[in-house]
Coordinates of all heavy atoms in Angstrom, one line a residue:
M212 N -15.5 12.0 1.5 CA -15.3 11.9 0.1 C -13.8 11.8 -0.1 O -13.0 12.6 0.4 CB -15.9 13.1 -0.6 CG -15.8 13.0 -2.1 SD -16.5 14.4 -3.0 CE -18.2 14.1 -2.9
S213 N -13.4 10.8 -0.9 CA -12.0 10.6 -1.1 C -11.6 11.5 -2.3 O -12.3 12.0 -3.0 CB -11.7 9.1 -1.5 OG -12.2 8.9 -2.8
N214 N -10.2 11.6 -2.4 CA -9.6 12.4 -3.5 C -10.1 11.9 -4.9 O -10.4 12.5 -5.8 CB -8.1 12.4 -3.6 CG -7.5 13.5 -2.7 OD1 -8.2 14.4 -2.4 ND2 -6.2 13.4 -2.4
Q215 N -10.2 10.5 -5.0 CA -10.6 9.9 -6.3 C -12.1 10.3 -6.6 O -12.4 10.6 -7.7 CB -10.5 8.5 -6.3 CG -10.6 7.8 -7.6 CD -10.2 6.4 -7.7 OE1 -9.8 5.8 -6.6 NE2 -10.2 5.8 -8.8
D216 N -12.9 10.4 -5.6 CA -14.4 10.8 -5.8 C -14.3 12.2 -6.2 O -15.2 12.6 -7.0 CB -15.0 10.7 -4.5 CG -15.3 9.1 -4.1 OD1 -15.2 8.3 -5.0 OD2 -15.5 8.9 -2.8
R217 N -13.6 13.1 -5.8 CA -13.6 14.5 -6.1 C -13.0 14.8 -7.4 O -13.5 15.7 -8.2 CB -12.9 15.3 -5.0 CG -13.6 15.6 -3.8 CD -12.8 16.5 -2.9 NE -11.7 15.7 -2.4 CZ -11.3 15.8 -1.2 NH1 -11.7 16.7 -0.4 NH2 -10.3 15.0 -0.7
H218 N -12.1 14.1 -7.8 CA -11.3 14.3 -9.1 C -11.6 13.3 -10.2 O -11.3 13.6 -11.3 CB -9.8 14.3 -8.8 CG -9.4 15.4 -7.8 ND1 -9.4 16.7 -8.1 CD2 -8.9 15.1 -6.6 CE1 -8.9 17.4 -7.0 NE2 -8.6 16.5 -6.0
G219 N -12.4 12.4 -9.9 CA -12.9 11.3 -11.0 C -11.8 10.3 -11.1 O -10.7 10.5 -10.6
P220 N -12.1 9.2 -11.7 CA -11.2 8.1 -11.9 C -10.1 8.3 -12.8 O -9.1 7.7 -12.7 CB -12.2 7.0 -12.4 CG -13.3 7.8 -13.0 CD -13.4 9.0 -12.3
S221 N -10.1 9.3 -13.7 CA -9.0 9.5 -14.7 C -7.9 10.3 -14.0 O -6.8 10.2 -14.5 CB -9.6 10.2 -15.9 OG -10.0 11.5 -15.5
S222 N -8.2 11.0 -13.0 CA -7.2 11.7 -12.3 C -6.6 10.9 -11.2 O -7.3 10.4 -10.3 CB -7.8 13.1 -11.7 OG -6.9 13.7 -10.8
R223 N -5.3 10.8 -11.2 CA -4.6 9.8 -10.3 C -3.6 10.7 -9.4 O -2.4 10.9 -9.9 CB -3.8 8.8 -11.0 CG -4.7 7.9 -11.9 CD -4.3 6.5 -11.9 NE -3.4 6.2 -11.0 CZ -3.5 4.9 -10.5 NH1 -4.4 4.0 -10.8 NH2 -2.6 4.5 -9.6
P224 N -4.2 11.3 -8.3 CA -3.4 12.1 -7.5 C -2.1 11.5 -6.9 O -1.2 12.3 -6.5 CB -4.3 12.6 -6.4 CG -5.4 11.6 -6.3 CD -5.4 11.0 -7.7
S225 N -2.0 10.2 -6.8 CA -0.9 9.5 -6.2 C 0.2 9.3 -7.3 O 1.3 8.9 -6.9 CB -1.2 8.2 -5.6 OG -1.7 7.3 -6.7
Q226 N 0.0 9.6 -8.5 CA 1.0 9.5 -9.5 C 1.9 10.8 -9.8 O 1.6 11.5 -10.7 CB 0.4 9.1 -10.8 CG -0.3 7.6 -10.8 CD 0.7 6.6 -10.4 OE1 1.7 6.5 -10.9 NE2 0.3 5.8 -9.4
F227 N 2.7 11.1 -8.8 CA 3.6 12.3 -8.9 C 5.0 11.8 -8.5 O 5.2 10.9 -7.7 CB 3.0 13.4 -8.1 CG 3.1 13.1 -6.6 CD1 4.1 13.5 -5.8 CD2 2.1 12.5 -6.0 CE1 4.3 13.2 -4.4 CE2 2.1 12.1 -4.6 CZ 3.2 12.5 -3.9
T228 N 5.9 12.4 -9.0 CA 7.3 12.2 -8.7 C 8.1 13.3 -8.2 O 9.3 13.2 -7.8 CB 8.1 11.5 -9.9 OG1 8.0 12.4 -10.9 CG2 7.5 10.1 -10.3
S229 N 7.5 14.6 -8.4 CA 8.3 15.8 -8.0 C 7.7 16.5 -6.8 O 6.4 16.5 -6.6 CB 8.2 16.9 -9.2 OG 8.8 16.3 -10.3
L230 N 8.5 17.0 -6.0 CA 8.2 17.5 -4.7 C 8.7 19.0 -4.6 O 9.8 19.3 -5.1 CB 8.8 16.9 -3.4 CG 8.4 15.4 -3.3 CD1 9.1 14.8 -2.1 CD2 6.9 15.2 -3.4
Y231 N 7.9 19.9 -4.0 CA 8.2 21.2 -3.7 C 8.6 21.3 -2.2 O 7.7 20.9 -1.3 CB 7.2 22.2 -4.0 CG 7.3 23.6 -3.5 CD1 8.2 24.4 -4.1 CD2 6.5 24.1 -2.5 CE1 8.4 25.8 -3.6 CE2 6.7 25.3 -2.1 CZ 7.6 26.2 -2.6 OH 7.7 27.5 -2.1
L232 N 9.8 21.8 -1.8 CA 10.2 22.0 -0.4 C 10.3 23.4 -0.1 O 11.0 24.1 -0.8 CB 11.6 21.3 -0.3 CG 11.9 19.9 -0.9 CD1 13.3 19.5 -0.6 CD2 10.9 18.9 -0.3
A233 N 9.5 23.8 0.9 CA 9.4 25.2 1.3 C 10.0 25.3 2.7 O 9.9 24.3 3.6 CB 8.0 25.8 1.2
N234 N 10.4 26.5 3.1 CA 10.9 26.9 4.4 C 12.2 26.1 4.8 O 12.4 25.7 5.9 CB 9.8 26.6 5.4 CG 10.1 27.4 6.7 OD1 10.5 28.5 6.6 ND2 9.7 26.8 7.9
L235 N 13.0 25.9 3.8 CA 14.3 25.4 3.9 C 15.3 26.2 4.7 O 15.3 27.3 4.4 CB 15.0 25.1 2.6 CG 14.5 23.8 1.8 CD1 15.2 23.9 0.5 CD2 14.8 22.5 2.5
D236 N 15.9 25.5 5.7 CA 16.9 26.3 6.5 C 18.1 26.5 5.6 O 18.7 25.5 5.1 CB 17.2 25.4 7.8 CG 18.3 26.0 8.7 OD1 19.0 26.9 8.3 OD2 18.1 25.8 9.9
P237 N 18.6 27.7 5.5 CA 19.7 28.0 4.6 C 21.0 27.3 5.2 O 21.9 27.0 4.4 CB 19.9 29.5 4.6 CG 18.9 30.0 5.7 CD 18.1 29.0 6.1
Q238 N 21.0 26.9 6.4 CA 22.2 26.2 7.0 C 22.2 24.7 6.7 O 23.3 24.2 6.8 CB 22.2 26.4 8.5 CG 22.2 27.8 9.0 CD 23.4 28.6 8.4 OE1 24.6 28.2 8.5 NE2 23.0 29.8 7.9
V239 N 21.2 24.2 6.3 CA 21.1 22.8 5.8 C 21.7 22.7 4.3 O 21.2 23.3 3.4 CB 19.7 22.2 5.8 CG1 19.7 20.8 5.2 CG2 19.3 22.2 7.2
S240 N 22.7 22.1 4.1 CA 23.5 22.0 2.8 C 22.7 21.2 1.8 O 21.7 20.4 2.1 CB 24.8 21.4 2.9 OG 24.7 20.0 3.2
D241 N 22.9 21.4 0.5 CA 22.3 20.7 -0.6 C 22.6 19.2 -0.4 O 21.7 18.3 -0.5 CB 22.9 21.1 -1.9 CG 22.3 22.5 -2.3 OD1 21.6 23.1 -1.7 OD2 22.9 22.9 -3.3
E242 N 23.8 18.9 0.0 CA 24.2 17.4 0.2 C 23.5 16.8 1.4 O 22.9 15.6 1.2 CB 25.7 17.3 0.5 CG 26.5 17.7 -0.7 CD 26.7 19.2 -0.8 OE1 26.4 19.9 0.2 OE2 27.2 19.7 -1.9
A243 N 23.2 17.5 2.5 CA 22.4 17.0 3.5 C 20.9 16.8 3.1 O 20.4 15.8 3.5 CB 22.4 18.0 4.7
M244 N 20.3 17.7 2.4 CA 19.0 17.7 1.9 C 18.8 16.4 1.1 O 17.9 15.7 1.3 CB 18.7 18.9 1.2 CG 17.2 18.9 0.7 SD 16.8 20.4 -0.4 CE 17.9 20.2 -1.8
I245 N 19.7 16.2 0.2 CA 19.7 15.0 -0.7 C 19.9 13.7 0.1 O 19.1 12.8 -0.2 CB 20.7 15.1 -1.9 CG1 20.3 16.2 -2.9 CG2 20.9 13.8 -2.5 CD1 21.4 16.7 -3.8
Q246 N 20.8 13.8 1.1 CA 20.8 12.5 1.9 C 19.6 12.2 2.7 O 19.3 11.1 2.8 CB 22.1 12.7 2.9 CG 22.5 11.5 3.6 CD 23.6 11.8 4.5 OE1 24.0 12.8 4.8 NE2 24.1 10.7 5.1
I247 N 19.0 13.2 3.2 CA 17.8 13.1 3.9 C 16.7 12.3 3.0 O 16.0 11.4 3.5 CB 17.3 14.4 4.5 CG1 18.2 14.8 5.7 CG2 15.9 14.2 5.0 CD1 18.0 16.2 6.1
F248 N 16.5 13.0 1.9 CA 15.4 12.5 1.0 C 15.7 11.3 0.2 O 14.9 10.6 -0.3 CB 15.0 13.7 0.1 CG 14.1 14.6 0.8 CD1 14.5 15.8 1.4 CD2 12.7 14.5 0.7 CE1 13.8 16.6 2.0 CE2 11.9 15.3 1.4 CZ 12.4 16.4 2.1
S249 N 17.0 11.0 0.1 CA 17.4 9.7 -0.8 C 17.1 8.6 0.0 O 16.8 7.4 -0.5 CB 18.8 9.8 -1.1 OG 19.7 9.7 0.1
G250 N 16.7 8.6 1.3 CA 16.3 7.5 2.2 C 14.9 7.0 1.7 O 14.4 6.0 2.1
F251 N 14.2 7.7 0.9 CA 12.9 7.4 0.4 C 12.9 6.8 -1.0 O 11.9 6.2 -1.5 CB 11.9 8.6 0.4 CG 11.7 9.1 1.7 CD1 12.3 10.2 2.2 CD2 10.9 8.5 2.7 CE1 12.2 10.8 3.5 CE2 10.7 9.0 3.9 CZ 11.4 10.1 4.3
G252 N 14.0 6.8 -1.7 CA 14.2 6.3 -3.0 C 15.2 7.2 -3.8 O 15.8 8.2 -3.3
K253 N 15.4 6.7 -5.1 CA 16.4 7.2 -6.0 C 15.9 8.6 -6.4 O 14.8 8.8 -6.9 CB 16.6 6.5 -7.2 CG 17.6 7.0 -8.1 CD 17.9 6.1 -9.3 CE 19.0 6.6 -10.1 NZ 19.2 5.8 -11.3
I254 N 16.8 9.6 -6.2 CA 16.5 11.0 -6.6 C 17.1 11.2 -8.0 O 18.3 10.9 -8.2 CB 17.1 12.0 -5.7 CG1 16.3 12.0 -4.4 CG2 16.9 13.5 -6.2 CD1 16.9 12.8 -3.2
I255 N 16.2 11.7 -8.9 CA 16.6 12.0 -10.3 C 17.3 13.3 -10.5 O 18.3 13.4 -11.0 CB 15.5 11.8 -11.3 CG1 15.0 10.4 -11.3 CG2 15.9 12.2 -12.7 CD1 13.6 10.2 -12.1
R256 N 16.7 14.2 -9.7 CA 17.1 15.7 -9.8 C 16.8 16.5 -8.5 O 15.8 16.2 -8.1 CB 16.7 16.3 -11.1 CG 16.9 17.8 -11.3 CD 16.4 18.3 -12.6 NE 15.1 17.9 -12.8 CZ 14.5 18.0 -13.9 NH1 15.1 18.7 -14.9 NH2 13.3 17.6 -14.2
S257 N 17.6 17.4 -8.3 CA 17.2 18.3 -7.2 C 17.7 19.7 -7.6 O 18.7 19.9 -8.2 CB 17.8 18.0 -5.8 OG 19.2 18.1 -5.8
V258 N 16.8 20.7 -7.4 CA 17.0 22.1 -7.7 C 16.8 23.0 -6.5 O 15.6 23.1 -6.1 CB 16.3 22.5 -9.0 CG1 16.6 24.0 -9.3 CG2 16.5 21.6 -10.2
R259 N 17.8 23.7 -6.1 CA 17.6 24.6 -4.9 C 17.5 25.9 -5.5 O 18.6 26.3 -6.2 CB 18.6 24.4 -3.9 CG 18.4 25.1 -2.6 CD 19.4 24.8 -1.6 NE 18.9 25.3 -0.3 CZ 19.3 24.6 0.9 NH1 20.1 23.6 0.8 NH2 18.8 25.1 2.0
A260 N 16.6 26.8 -5.1 CA 16.6 28.1 -5.6 C 17.6 29.0 -4.8 O 17.7 28.9 -3.7 CB 15.2 28.7 -5.4
K261 N 18.3 29.7 -5.6 CA 19.3 30.6 -5.0 C 19.3 32.0 -5.5 O 18.8 32.2 -6.7 CB 20.8 30.0 -5.2 CG 20.9 28.7 -4.5 CD 22.3 28.2 -4.7 CE 22.4 26.7 -4.0 NZ 23.6 26.2 -4.2
D262 N 19.7 33.0 -4.7 CA 19.6 34.4 -5.2 C 20.9 34.7 -5.9 O 21.7 33.8 -6.2 CB 19.4 35.4 -4.0 CG 20.6 35.3 -3.0 OD1 21.7 34.9 -3.3 OD2 20.5 35.8 -1.9
F263 N 21.0 35.9 -6.3 CA 22.1 36.4 -7.2 C 23.5 36.1 -6.5 O 24.5 36.2 -7.2 CB 21.9 37.8 -7.7 CG 22.0 38.8 -6.7 CD1 23.3 39.5 -6.4 CD2 20.9 39.2 -5.9 CE1 23.3 40.4 -5.3 CE2 20.9 40.1 -4.9 CZ 22.2 40.7 -4.6
R264 N 23.6 36.1 -5.2 CA 24.8 35.9 -4.5 C 25.1 34.4 -4.3 O 26.0 34.0 -3.7 CB 24.7 36.6 -3.1 CG 24.5 38.1 -3.2 CD 24.4 38.6 -1.8 NE 23.0 38.2 -1.4 CZ 22.2 38.7 -0.5 NH1 22.6 39.8 0.0 NH2 21.1 38.1 -0.2
G265 N 24.1 33.5 -4.7 CA 24.3 32.1 -4.5 C 23.8 31.6 -3.2 O 24.0 30.4 -2.8
E266 N 23.0 32.5 -2.5 CA 22.4 32.1 -1.2 C 21.1 31.5 -1.4 O 20.3 31.9 -2.2 CB 22.5 33.2 -0.3 CG 23.9 33.6 0.1 CD 24.0 34.8 1.1 OE1 22.9 35.2 1.6 OE2 24.9 35.5 1.2
S267 N 20.7 30.5 -0.4 CA 19.5 29.8 -0.6 C 18.3 30.8 -0.5 O 18.4 31.7 0.4 CB 19.4 28.8 0.5 OG 18.1 28.2 0.6
R268 N 17.3 30.5 -1.3 CA 16.0 31.4 -1.3 C 15.0 30.7 -0.3 O 13.9 31.2 -0.2 CB 15.5 31.6 -2.6 CG 16.4 32.5 -3.4 CD 15.8 33.2 -4.7 NE 14.5 33.8 -4.3 CZ 13.5 34.0 -5.2 NH1 13.6 33.4 -6.4 NH2 12.5 34.7 -4.9
G269 N 15.3 29.5 0.2 CA 14.4 28.9 1.1 C 13.5 27.8 0.6 O 12.6 27.3 1.2
F270 N 13.7 27.6 -0.9 CA 12.8 26.4 -1.4 C 13.6 25.8 -2.4 O 14.7 26.1 -2.9 CB 11.6 27.0 -1.9 CG 11.8 27.9 -3.2 CD1 11.6 27.4 -4.4 CD2 12.0 29.2 -3.0 CE1 11.8 28.2 -5.6 CE2 12.1 30.0 -4.1 CZ 12.0 29.5 -5.4
A271 N 13.1 24.5 -2.7 CA 13.8 23.6 -3.6 C 12.8 22.7 -4.3 O 11.6 22.5 -3.8 CB 14.9 22.8 -2.9
F272 N 13.2 21.9 -5.3 CA 12.4 20.9 -5.9 C 13.3 19.7 -5.9 O 14.4 19.7 -6.2 CB 12.0 21.4 -7.4 CG 11.2 22.5 -7.5 CD1 11.9 23.9 -7.5 CD2 9.8 22.5 -7.3 CE1 11.0 25.1 -7.6 CE2 9.1 23.7 -7.3 CZ 9.7 24.9 -7.6
I273 N 12.5 18.6 -5.6 CA 13.2 17.3 -5.8 C 12.3 16.3 -6.7 O 11.1 16.3 -6.4 CB 13.4 16.6 -4.3 CG1 14.4 17.3 -3.6 CG2 13.8 15.1 -4.5 CD1 14.7 16.7 -2.2
E274 N 13.0 15.6 -7.6 CA 12.2 14.7 -8.4 C 12.8 13.3 -8.2 O 14.0 13.1 -8.2 CB 12.5 15.0 -9.9 CG 11.7 14.1 -10.8 CD 11.8 14.4 -12.2 OE1 12.4 15.5 -12.6 OE2 11.3 13.6 -13.1
F275 N 11.8 12.5 -7.8 CA 12.2 11.0 -7.4 C 12.0 10.2 -8.7 O 11.2 10.5 -9.6 CB 11.2 10.4 -6.4 CG 11.7 10.9 -5.0 CD1 11.1 12.0 -4.5 CD2 12.6 10.3 -4.3 CE1 11.5 12.4 -3.2 CE2 13.0 10.6 -3.0 CZ 12.4 11.7 -2.5
E276 N 12.6 9.0 -8.8 CA 12.4 8.1 -9.8 C 11.0 7.5 -9.9 O 10.4 7.2 -10.9 CB 13.4 6.9 -9.8 CG 13.5 5.9 -10.9 CD 14.6 5.0 -10.8 OE1 14.5 4.2 -9.9 OE2 15.3 5.0 -11.8
S277 N 10.4 7.2 -8.7 CA 9.1 6.6 -8.6 C 8.1 7.4 -7.8 O 8.5 8.2 -6.9 CB 9.2 5.2 -7.9 OG 9.3 5.3 -6.6
S278 N 6.9 7.3 -8.1 CA 5.8 8.0 -7.4 C 5.7 7.5 -5.9 O 5.4 8.3 -5.1 CB 4.4 7.9 -8.1 OG 4.1 6.5 -8.2
D279 N 5.9 6.2 -5.7 CA 5.9 5.7 -4.3 C 7.0 6.4 -3.3 O 6.6 6.7 -2.2 CB 6.2 4.2 -4.3 CG 5.1 3.5 -4.9 OD1 3.9 3.8 -4.9 OD2 5.2 2.2 -5.3
S280 N 8.1 6.7 -4.0 CA 9.2 7.3 -3.2 C 8.8 8.7 -2.9 O 8.9 9.3 -1.7 CB 10.5 7.4 -4.0 OG 10.9 6.0 -4.2
A281 N 8.2 9.4 -3.7 CA 7.7 10.8 -3.6 C 6.5 10.9 -2.5 O 6.6 11.7 -1.7 CB 7.3 11.5 -4.9
E282 N 5.6 10.0 -2.7 CA 4.5 10.0 -1.7 C 5.1 9.6 -0.3 O 4.6 10.2 0.6 CB 3.6 8.8 -2.2 CG 2.2 8.9 -1.6 CD 1.1 8.1 -2.2 OE1 1.3 7.6 -3.3 OE2 0.2 7.8 -1.5
Q283 N 6.0 8.7 -0.2 CA 6.5 8.5 1.2 C 7.2 9.6 1.7 O 7.1 9.9 3.0 CB 7.4 7.2 1.2 CG 6.8 5.9 1.0 CD 7.7 4.7 0.9 OE1 8.8 4.9 1.5 NE2 7.4 3.7 0.3
A284 N 7.9 10.3 0.9 CA 8.7 11.5 1.3 C 7.7 12.6 1.8 O 8.1 13.3 2.9 CB 9.6 12.1 0.2
V285 N 6.6 12.9 1.1 CA 5.6 13.9 1.6 C 5.1 13.3 3.0 O 5.0 14.2 3.8 CB 4.5 13.9 0.5 CG1 3.4 14.8 1.1 CG2 5.0 14.7 -0.7
E286 N 4.7 12.2 3.1 CA 4.0 11.7 4.3 C 5.0 11.8 5.5 O 4.5 12.2 6.6 CB 3.6 10.2 4.1 CG 2.5 10.0 3.1 CD 2.0 8.6 2.9 OE1 2.6 7.7 3.8 OE2 1.4 8.3 2.1
H287 N 6.2 11.5 5.2 CA 7.2 11.5 6.4 C 8.0 12.8 6.7 O 8.4 13.0 7.8 CB 8.2 10.4 6.1 CG 7.6 9.0 6.3 ND1 7.0 8.3 5.3 CD2 7.5 8.2 7.3 CE1 6.6 7.2 5.6 NE2 6.8 7.1 7.0
M288 N 8.0 13.6 5.7 CA 8.9 14.8 5.8 C 8.0 16.1 6.0 O 8.6 17.1 6.6 CB 9.8 14.9 4.6 CG 10.9 13.9 4.6 SD 11.8 13.4 6.0 CE 12.7 15.0 6.1
D289 N 6.9 16.2 5.6 CA 6.0 17.4 5.8 C 5.8 17.7 7.2 O 5.3 16.9 7.9 CB 4.8 17.3 5.0 CG 4.0 18.6 5.0 OD1 4.6 19.6 4.8 OD2 2.7 18.6 5.3
G290 N 6.2 18.9 7.6 CA 6.0 19.3 9.0 C 7.2 18.9 9.9 O 7.2 19.1 11.2
R291 N 8.2 18.2 9.4 CA 9.4 17.9 10.3 C 10.4 19.0 10.4 O 10.5 19.8 9.6 CB 10.1 16.7 9.5 CG 9.5 15.5 9.2 CD 9.3 14.4 10.3 NE 10.6 14.1 11.1 CZ 11.3 13.0 10.8 NH1 10.9 12.2 9.9 NH2 12.3 12.8 11.5
L292 N 11.0 19.0 11.6 CA 12.0 20.0 11.9 C 13.3 19.6 11.3 O 13.9 18.5 11.5 CB 12.1 20.2 13.4 CG 13.1 21.2 13.9 CD1 12.6 22.6 13.5 CD2 13.4 21.1 15.3
I293 N 13.8 20.4 10.3 CA 15.0 20.1 9.7 C 16.0 21.4 9.8 O 15.5 22.5 9.4 CB 14.9 19.8 8.2 CG1 13.9 18.7 7.9 CG2 16.2 19.7 7.5 CD1 14.4 17.3 8.3
G294 N 17.0 21.2 10.6 CA 17.8 22.4 11.0 C 17.0 23.1 12.0 O 16.5 22.6 13.0
Q295 N 16.9 24.4 11.7 CA 16.0 25.4 12.7 C 14.6 25.6 12.1 O 14.0 26.6 12.6 CB 16.9 26.6 12.9 CG 18.2 26.4 13.5 CD 18.1 25.7 14.8 OE1 17.3 26.2 15.7 NE2 18.9 24.7 15.2
R296 N 14.2 25.0 11.0 CA 12.9 25.3 10.5 C 12.1 24.1 10.3 O 12.5 23.0 10.1 CB 13.1 26.0 9.1 CG 13.8 27.4 9.2 CD 13.8 28.1 8.0 NE 14.3 29.3 8.1 CZ 14.6 30.2 6.9 NH1 14.1 29.8 5.8 NH2 15.1 31.3 7.2
I297 N 10.8 24.2 10.3 CA 9.8 23.3 10.0 C 9.6 23.2 8.5 O 9.2 24.2 7.9 CB 8.4 23.4 10.7 CG1 8.7 23.4 12.2 CG2 7.5 22.4 10.3 CD1 7.6 23.6 13.2
L298 N 9.9 22.1 7.9 CA 9.8 21.9 6.4 C 8.4 21.7 6.0 O 7.7 21.0 6.6 CB 10.7 20.7 6.1 CG 11.0 20.5 4.6 CD1 11.8 21.6 4.1 CD2 11.8 19.2 4.5
C299 N 8.1 22.3 4.8 CA 6.8 22.2 4.1 C 7.1 21.3 2.8 O 8.0 21.9 2.1 CB 6.2 23.4 3.9 SG 4.7 23.3 2.9
V300 N 6.5 20.1 2.7 CA 6.8 19.3 1.5 C 5.5 19.0 0.8 O 4.5 18.6 1.5 CB 7.4 17.9 2.0 CG1 7.7 17.1 0.6 CG2 8.7 18.2 2.8
E301 N 5.4 19.4 -0.4 CA 4.2 19.3 -1.2 C 4.6 18.6 -2.6 O 5.6 18.9 -3.1 CB 3.5 20.7 -1.4 CG 3.0 21.4 -0.3 CD 2.5 22.7 -0.5 OE1 2.5 23.1 -1.7 OE2 2.0 23.4 0.4
R302 N 3.6 17.9 -3.1 CA 3.8 17.5 -4.5 C 3.6 18.7 -5.4 O 2.9 19.6 -5.2 CB 2.8 16.3 -4.9 CG 1.4 16.5 -4.7 CD 0.7 15.3 -4.9 NE -0.7 15.5 -4.2 CZ -1.5 14.5 -4.2 NH1 -1.3 13.3 -4.7 NH2 -2.7 14.8 -3.7
T303 N 4.3 18.6 -6.7 CA 4.2 19.5 -7.7 C 4.4 18.9 -9.0 O 5.0 17.9 -9.1 CB 5.3 20.6 -7.4 OG1 5.1 21.7 -8.2 CG2 6.7 20.1 -7.5
P304 N 3.9 19.6 -10.0 CA 4.2 19.1 -11.4 C 5.7 19.2 -11.6 O 6.5 20.0 -10.9 CB 3.6 20.1 -12.3 CG 2.5 20.8 -11.5 CD 3.1 20.7 -10.1
K305 N 6.3 18.4 -12.6 CA 7.7 18.4 -12.8 C 8.2 19.9 -13.2 O 7.5 20.6 -13.8 CB 8.1 17.5 -14.0 CG 8.1 16.2 -13.7 CD 8.6 15.3 -14.8 CE 8.6 13.8 -14.5 NZ 9.1 13.0 -15.5
V306 N 9.3 20.2 -12.6 CA 9.8 21.6 -12.8 C 11.3 21.5 -13.3 O 12.1 20.8 -12.7 CB 9.8 22.4 -11.5 CG1 10.5 23.8 -11.7 CG2 8.5 22.5 -10.9
D307 N 11.6 22.2 -14.4 CA 12.8 22.3 -14.9 C 13.5 23.4 -14.3 O 12.8 24.3 -13.8 CB 12.8 22.4 -16.5 CG 12.4 21.1 -17.1 OD1 12.7 20.0 -16.5 OD2 11.6 21.1 -18.1
E308 N 14.9 23.5 -14.4 CA 15.6 24.6 -13.7 C 15.2 26.0 -14.3 O 15.2 26.9 -13.4 CB 17.1 24.4 -14.0 CG 17.6 23.3 -13.1 CD 19.1 23.1 -13.3 OE1 19.9 24.1 -12.9 OE2 19.6 22.2 -13.6
G309 N 14.7 26.1 -15.3 CA 14.4 27.4 -15.9 C 12.9 27.7 -15.7 O 12.5 28.8 -16.2
D310 N 12.1 26.9 -15.1 CA 10.7 27.1 -15.1 C 10.3 27.9 -13.8 O 9.0 28.1 -13.7 CB 10.0 25.7 -15.0 CG 10.0 25.1 -16.4 OD1 10.4 25.6 -17.3 OD2 9.5 23.8 -16.4
Y311 N 11.0 28.3 -13.0 CA 10.6 29.1 -11.9 C 11.4 30.6 -11.9 O 12.4 30.6 -12.5 CB 10.7 28.5 -10.5 CG 12.2 28.0 -10.1 CD1 13.0 29.0 -9.5 CD2 12.6 26.8 -10.4 CE1 14.3 28.7 -9.1 CE2 13.9 26.5 -10.0 CZ 14.7 27.4 -9.4 OH 15.9 27.0 -9.0
I312 N 10.8 31.5 -11.3 CA 11.3 32.9 -11.3 C 12.3 33.0 -10.2 O 11.9 32.6 -9.0 CB 10.3 33.8 -11.3 CG1 9.4 33.7 -12.5 CG2 10.9 35.2 -11.1 CD1 8.1 34.6 -12.4
Y313 N 13.5 33.5 -10.4 CA 14.5 33.7 -9.2 C 14.0 34.9 -8.6 O 14.2 35.6 -7.9 CB 15.9 33.8 -9.8 CG 16.4 32.5 -10.4 CD1 16.2 32.2 -11.6 CD2 17.0 31.7 -9.6 CE1 16.6 31.0 -12.2 CE2 17.5 30.4 -10.1 CZ 17.2 30.2 -11.3 OH 17.8 29.0 -11.9

């Protein structure tokens, strides 16, 4: 059974532009993360969660201009070794900087 069969024709699971990145290696810079993901398309925004000291909390959100770019990024980057950690990449609803708990 396909995703469309389970969710009905009105739900379009492939129409997403925002990604949740988990298990980020803190040694991988924001610039490196953006450079890696920009190979899939134009990035509109990226937000990396940081603690009160400004250190990475190990997750981030990236929003692409197009859903095709986001879909390709999930397909190619989920489960890849980036730095010293295996990255988890999932689609997510759009997230603004104030929408998650530090």
